[in-house]
């Protein structure tokens, strides 16, 4: 049997974090694409798909109990197998008369499997590497997670568009999801043999479920007793409010027909514009944001980053009113909006780390990520209905009006002068 020392991290970290990102993109982006192309209204699409964020919202509630059952290594392998089964379920049901009920059921299975896989993968990363390697590979894991975004938001949507030229839309998506099934079955088998077996990831547990439940209750309550806890919750829920409204609607708007007020991009054009150029803007903005905070600290950049996560949304006001046919102009607007979001999101992520400092920092950070998912879920539930009621032009104007909320919550934050500096 191979030991931890004999297996290079390069053999499993890239594949593990690619496998972590792709199901999340499938749940949050591909599901919306499928339902839009199957003819559901904007209100129906965003309502159904926003509920799929729920597993990531409540993930902190069940994650402490996974270790009581099996190892993190076991959870990774089994969840990848279950993700593959969920993709197979979507692939089969999308081509039946009960496509809506069937795909929703399997997208839910996919969401819960993916959220559980996240817990196992992130915990295993810390167990499988020493501190030096953890620091070295943090950029590698992030890179391959982002690559999964390009593949999901760009490549798979473009592939479905290519297949749509020869098959009806149901068969096109069925083939895409069968391909994802095969990929994750292979990843599960690969990780079954290649993942190291760190001694820390043992099945011998020292605490009972009741002890863990009591400890979790104390940790949960301590989160709300921390200084500026209420301010932090408001910040986590409202700082991304404009973006939470734009993300689902932009996907619909960019592909909606001209008669409906959209830009009528084809699947291949949309995959390129949003999945490649948009993700590039997101990546570059995030990298520069991290560099700026590292140089000057979070407090110095909180206001510029608040402006960055809000004001570039004007790009969609421009697109909705001008309806340009030029793909380059559309790409530039999407790049600018994503760059601003990536740059501003750096402050959001760093503040979660800042608030989580101290005792129970891992659990408190997990609770922060739950609120982060909730901040996307709640606005999405009614974003489509709002866009349908007022039209895309007024919807993006309303988004600019609600940009006041990120400034209001950022104003209430109290941050140490030197936090984030090298």
């Amino acid at each position: 049997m191979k030991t931890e020392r004999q297996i290079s991290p390069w053999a499993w970290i890239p594949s593990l974090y690619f496998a972590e990102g792709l199901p999340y993109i499938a749940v949050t982006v591909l599901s919306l694409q499928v339902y839009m192309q199957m003819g559901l209204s904007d209100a129906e699409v965003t309502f159904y798909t926003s509920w799929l964020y729920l597993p990531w919202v409540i993930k902190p509630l069940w994650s402490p109990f996974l270790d009581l059952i099996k190892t993190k290594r076991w959870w990774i392998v089994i969840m990848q197998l279950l993700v593959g089964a969920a993709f197979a379920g979507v692939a089969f049901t999308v081509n039946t008369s009960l496509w809506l009920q069937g795909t929703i059921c399997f997208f839910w299975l996919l969401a819960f499997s993916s959220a559980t896989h996240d817990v196992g993968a992130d915990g295993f990363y810390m167990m499988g590497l020493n501190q030096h390697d953890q620091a070295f590979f943090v950029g590698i894991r992030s890179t391959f997670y982002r690559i999964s975004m390009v593949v999901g938001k760009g490549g798979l949507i473009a592939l479905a568009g290519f297949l749509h030229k020869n098959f009806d839309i149901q068969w096109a998506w069925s083939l895409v999801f069968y391909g994802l099934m095969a990929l994750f079955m292979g990843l599960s088998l690969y990780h079954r043999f290649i993942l190291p077996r760190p001694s820390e990831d043992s099945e011998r547990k020292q605490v009972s479920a009741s002890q863990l439940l009591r400890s979790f209750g104390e940790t949960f309550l301590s989160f709300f007793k921390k200084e500026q806890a209420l301010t932090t919750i408001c910040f986590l829920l409202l700082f991304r409010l404009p973006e939470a409204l734009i993300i689902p609607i932009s996907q619909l708007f960019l592909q909606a027909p001209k008669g409906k007020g959209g830009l009528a991009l084809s699947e291949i054009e949309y995959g390129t514009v949003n999945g490649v150029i948009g993700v590039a803007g997101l990546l570059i903005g995030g990298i520069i944001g991290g560099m700026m905070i590292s140089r000057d600290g979070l407090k110095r950049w909180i206001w510029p980053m608040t402006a960055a996560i809000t004001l570039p949304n004007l790009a969609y006001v421009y697109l909705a009113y001008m309806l340009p046919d030029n793909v380059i102009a559309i790409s530039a607007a999407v790049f600018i909006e994503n760059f601003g979001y990536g740059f501003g999101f750096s402050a959001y992520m760093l503040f979660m780390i800042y608030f989580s400092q101290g005792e129970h920092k891992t659990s408190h950070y997990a609770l922060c990520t739950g609120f982060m998912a909730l901040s996307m879920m709640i606005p999405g539930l009614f974003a489509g209905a709002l866009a349908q009621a007022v039209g895309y032009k007024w919807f993006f104007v309303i988004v600019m009006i609600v940009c006041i909320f990120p400034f209001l919550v950022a104003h209430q934050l109290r941050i140490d002068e030197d936090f984030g500096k090298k």
Side-chain angles (χ1 to χ4, degrees), residues 18-81:
F18 182 83
E20 181 172 317
L22 200 54
Y24 179 79
I25 296 301
V27 169
T28 59
V29 177
L30 297 189
S31 65
L32 193 151
Q33 186 75 16
V34 170
Y35 294 144
M36 176 193 71
Q37 293 184 308
M38 294 293 284
L40 296 187
S41 68
D42 287 3
E44 291 171 323
V45 168
T46 59
F47 182 79
Y48 290 138
T49 57
S50 293
W51 277 111
L52 297 174
Y53 280 99
L54 184 61
W56 284 277
V57 175
I58 63 176
K59 177 178 68 175
L61 301 181
W62 79 75
S63 59
F65 299 93
L66 297 184
D67 286 345
L68 292 179
I69 303 173
K70 288 286 185 178
T71 64
K72 285 182 169 58
R73 188 184 192 279
W74 185 89
W75 282 109
I76 289 170
V77 172
I78 294 302
M79 287 305 106
Q80 288 177 1
L81 200 61

Side-chain angles (χ1 to χ4, degrees), residues 2 26 29 39 83 92 113 124 157 159 233 241 259 261 274 293 296 322 352 354 393 404 406 418:
K2 290 184 178 181
V29 177
V83 164
F92 176 77
S113 304
F124 189 84
I157 290 178
L159 175 61
I233 292 170
L241 178 58
N274 194 57
I293 291 176
D296 302 317
M322 301 305 295
M352 289 201 300
Y354 175 75
K393 291 181 180 179
I404 190 174
D418 293 330

Side-chain angles (χ1 to χ4, degrees), residues 68-315:
L68 292 179
I69 303 173
K70 288 286 185 178
T71 64
K72 285 182 169 58
R73 188 184 192 279
W74 185 89
W75 282 109
I76 289 170
V77 172
I78 294 302
M79 287 305 106
Q80 288 177 1
L81 200 61
L82 201 55
V83 164
F87 277 133
V90 174
F92 176 77
T93 55
V94 75
N95 203 27
T96 67
S97 59
L98 296 175
W99 60 268
L100 180 58
Q101 299 92 326
T103 56
I104 286 177
C105 173
F106 285 107
F107 273 128
W108 270 103
L109 175 61
L110 180 61
F112 275 100
S113 304
S114 178
T116 305
H117 179 271
D118 292 353
V119 176
D122 293 340
F124 189 84
Y125 177 84
M126 292 184 283
M127 291 178 175
L129 300 173
N130 57 41
Q131 274 194 332
H132 174 268
D133 285 344
Q134 286 180 36
F136 178 82
F137 281 97
V138 69
I140 305 301
R141 64 182 258 187
S142 177
T143 297
F144 278 86
Y145 189 93
R146 299 299 182 186
I147 289 173
S148 74
M149 292 180 63
V150 175
V151 171
K153 297 174 71 172
L156 294 179
I157 290 178
L159 175 61
F162 176 77
L163 292 172
H164 193 193
K165 294 179 178 179
N166 300 299
F167 303 95
D168 65 34
I169 193 60
Q170 288 173 289
W171 267 111
W173 279 112
S174 183
L175 292 171
V176 169
F177 284 113
Y178 275 129
L180 287 169
M181 172 205 72
L183 173 64
F184 272 83
M185 294 297 180
L187 283 169
S188 177
L189 184 64
Y190 175 76
H191 289 135
R192 168 69 178 80
F193 292 101
I194 207 68
L195 287 179
R197 298 177 183 273
S199 57
E200 188 182 351
D201 191 28
S202 170
E203 293 189 35
R204 292 174 294 178
K205 310 304 172 187
Q206 303 300 317
V207 295
S208 66
S210 60
Q211 289 173 316
L212 190 59
L213 186 61
R214 190 182 310 112
S215 175
F216 176 79
E218 293 171 357
T219 303
F220 186 81
L221 290 175
S222 69
F223 178 91
F224 296 95
K225 293 178 180 178
K226 294 187 77 166
E227 185 179 351
Q228 62 176 342
L230 182 59
T231 300
T232 296
I233 292 170
C234 291
F235 174 78
L236 294 175
L237 293 177
L238 297 175
F239 189 70
R240 293 199 299 167
L241 178 58
E243 197 66 25
L245 291 169
I246 275 187
I247 284 177
I249 299 304
S250 64
Q251 188 170 346
L252 302 173
F253 162 70
L254 290 171
Q255 298 174 86
K258 293 282 188 179
K260 192 181 174 183
L263 296 184
L265 295 182
S266 68
E267 295 102 320
I268 296 174
E269 288 173 331
Y270 174 77
T272 303
V273 169
N274 194 57
V276 179
I277 296 171
V279 171
L282 191 69
L283 274 171
I284 295 170
I287 291 169
I288 295 175
M291 292 169 60
M292 294 300 99
I293 291 176
S294 176
R295 189 187 70 181
D296 302 317
L298 177 58
K299 187 172 183 178
R300 162 68 178 78
W301 282 97
I302 188 67
W303 285 111
M305 288 183 171
T306 303
I309 208 169
T310 52
L311 301 185
N313 293 333
L314 282 168

